Amino acid sequence: MNDDTPLSDLQGLRLIRAFGRIRDQQRRNELIEFAETLAAEICVRRDSSPPGLHRELAAEQPTDPAR
């Protein structure tokens, strides 16, 4: 999925900033592996789910209360 919206840009920036604050190399590697695994699982679910389900999954994602 290619999501080139301003919201996705802001989310990407938040991830980059947060990742940059992590100084422990092992934790950084763990985070990268977790994100890659999560992305792969989501892609598999979307590819095998009925049409429209990915919109329902996206709607279930919690919003950031700080925003």
Side-chain angles (χ1 to χ4, degrees):
M1 183 169 100
N2 187 5
D3 190 6
D4 293 330
T5 65
L7 179 58
S8 67
D9 291 344
L10 291 174
Q11 290 170 328
L13 287 173
R14 289 178 60 205
L15 281 171
I16 291 167
R17 288 179 182 146
F19 186 80
R21 290 191 305 265
I22 300 169
R23 297 292 174 223
D24 184 308
Q25 189 62 44
Q26 178 62 35
R27 295 291 185 169
R28 289 171 72 120
N29 290 337
E30 291 170 0
L31 182 57
I32 291 168
E33 290 177 20
F34 173 73
E36 290 172 340
T37 301
L38 180 61
E41 288 175 4
I42 290 171
C43 288
V44 167
R45 271 192 232 144
R46 285 185 177 160
D47 290 343
S48 64
S49 62
L53 183 60
H54 65 278
R55 285 188 292 272
E56 293 171 18
L57 290 173
E60 292 176 6
Q61 298 299 318
T63 56
D64 183 357
R67 300 181 108 213

